[in-house]
Amino acid sequence: MLNLLEMEQLAAFAECGTLSKAAEKLNVSQPTITRTMQHLEDEFGVPLFQRTKNHIALNETGMRAVEHAQKILKAAEDAVEDVRLFDRSLHTITVSSCAPAPLWHLLPELSDAFPGMTMSSSVKNNAAVLDDLRSGACLLAVLPDHVLSSHISEEDYCCIPFMKENLSVCVPPFHALAEYDDISFAELNGYNFLLGTRLGFWDEMCREKMPASRFLVQTDQFTMEEVIRESSLPCFVTDAVSYDRDIYRDRIVIPITDQEAKIIFHAVFDRNNKKYADVFRRLFRV
């Protein structure tokens, strides 16, 4: 009977070219590799090697055996990963969100509703969140209302509104935009902005609505806060979270009037998921 250790040694021999190098790679003795090669020929019942006095090499049949060995090893690796992922899924609530703010409110509530479970979250654009939902890569998706009608079937998924977020621009009092009481993306187009990362669909939307603007992207939160504190560049804020006055100081918050800047987020989940669907319904309808 073939075993994985023998398959690994055969694959290593094919890769390394000599018994000694294969033994060194696998940290075993050369006689061990030699015995394995002989046993493999016995198991297959056909010659796998060309042998001379001081050399052994795979013949054509041996190369075919190597192909099968590589497939067996890959299948074994995939099986281990699949079982581990499945076990993790039994103990993990996975959430894919189109924006960061919903997670700040949602994850603590989920932790309370599912004590003992691990929370795993990610912020992605709308298309990636939809892919996660449809593939089962997430148990719960957070999507804006304008995406649902064209991409989500209510026969398959529950869609429950649970949070609103309104986008504003934040500028120093001496900035040219400071005189506005409210403002549109068209009026903002052409100005340069500070922008953070992991913003999900907000990033794409701002770039789409303001094609003439340039964005100074900050990947580090501390750096972002320092630039906001010391520079005159506009940035974005929302009403979904309070912000530190020590960082924003006397900056003026100007609401953006476009409907695209006024979002209702929905929790979306498979209505047939008997393990979680009922709890999700209770959670979001409280």
Side-chain angles (χ1 to χ4, degrees):
M1 177 70 68
L2 300 174
N3 62 58
L4 290 177
L5 288 177
E6 291 179 336
M7 296 293 96
E8 184 181 24
Q9 292 178 30
L10 179 60
F13 175 65
E15 177 185 345
C16 297
T18 66
L19 295 172
S20 59
K21 289 181 179 179
E24 182 179 354
K25 174 182 172 66
L26 298 177
N27 197 28
V28 298
S29 67
Q30 184 171 330
T32 296
I33 295 282
T34 300
R35 287 193 297 271
T36 295
M37 299 304 107
Q38 293 170 342
H39 182 254
L40 284 172
E41 281 190 317
D42 293 339
E43 287 294 324
F44 281 107
V46 293
L48 302 178
F49 308 96
Q50 295 175 338
R51 291 180 173 84
T52 61
K53 183 177 180 181
N54 298 311
H55 184 70
I56 179 174
L58 290 160
N59 61 22
E60 192 171 354
T61 304
M63 292 303 298
R64 175 60 65 90
V66 169
E67 292 177 9
H68 284 288
Q70 292 168 338
K71 291 177 182 178
I72 290 169
L73 292 170
K74 181 64 168 60
E77 181 181 324
D78 291 345
V80 170
E81 182 64 17
D82 179 72
V83 170
R84 287 175 177 171
L85 288 174
F86 178 76
D87 181 71
R88 193 179 309 156
S89 73
L90 298 178
H91 310 286
T92 304
I93 302 293
T94 51
V95 185
S96 288
S97 178
C98 65
L103 294 176
W104 304 334
H105 299 270
L106 180 58
L107 293 180
E109 294 186 19
L110 287 172
S111 294
D112 290 341
F114 296 94
M117 298 286 282
T118 300
M119 300 297 136
S120 175
S121 64
S122 57
V123 177
K124 303 179 180 181
N125 61 34
N126 290 331
V129 174
L130 284 167
D131 286 343
D132 284 352
L133 179 65
R134 290 165 176 160
S135 68
C138 71
L139 290 173
L140 186 67
V142 177
L143 288 164
D145 47 358
H146 63 269
V147 171
L148 302 179
S149 59
S150 57
H151 293 90
I152 296 296
S153 166
E154 292 191 5
E155 293 181 1
D156 300 319
Y157 297 99
C158 287
C159 306
I160 303 176
F162 75 97
M163 176 182 162
K164 295 180 180 180
E165 183 175 22
N166 299 305
L167 191 67
S168 299
V169 65
C170 186
V171 300
F174 53 82
H175 195 278
L177 296 174
E179 63 185 35
Y180 287 83
D181 294 325
D182 52 40
I183 200 164
S184 67
F185 281 123
E187 291 169 311
L188 292 172
N189 190 28
Y191 287 94
N192 298 331
F193 287 86
L194 288 170
L195 202 64
T197 55
R198 296 185 73 248
L199 299 179
F201 85 100
W202 285 122
D203 184 295
E204 290 183 353
M205 192 262 285
C206 289
R207 294 175 187 274
E208 178 184 342
K209 293 293 182 179
M210 297 182 291
S213 296
R214 293 185 178 181
F215 300 93
L216 180 61
V217 178
Q218 300 298 314
T219 58
D220 177 72
Q221 182 63 28
F222 175 79
T223 303
M224 178 73 170
E225 292 173 356
E226 285 298 302
V227 177
I228 291 172
R229 184 184 286 113
E230 301 298 334
S231 82
S232 61
L233 285 171
C235 61
F236 295 101
V237 294
T238 82
D239 57 357
V241 63
S242 59
Y243 47 90
D244 190 339
R245 275 296 176 188
D246 181 56
I247 297 170
Y248 289 84
R249 296 184 177 178
D250 55 354
R251 280 182 174 247
I252 297 170
V253 175
I254 308 168
I256 299 174
T257 57
D258 300 64
Q259 191 59 42
E260 293 89 342
K262 305 175 187 301
I263 298 299
I264 299 175
F265 293 107
H266 287 67
V268 186
F269 52 91
D270 186 342
R271 63 171 63 250
N272 296 315
N273 187 328
K274 299 184 183 302
K275 185 174 181 179
Y276 297 107
D278 288 343
V279 181
F280 286 158
R281 288 189 187 94
R282 291 196 298 271
L283 177 64
F284 292 111
R285 284 177 176 162
V286 171

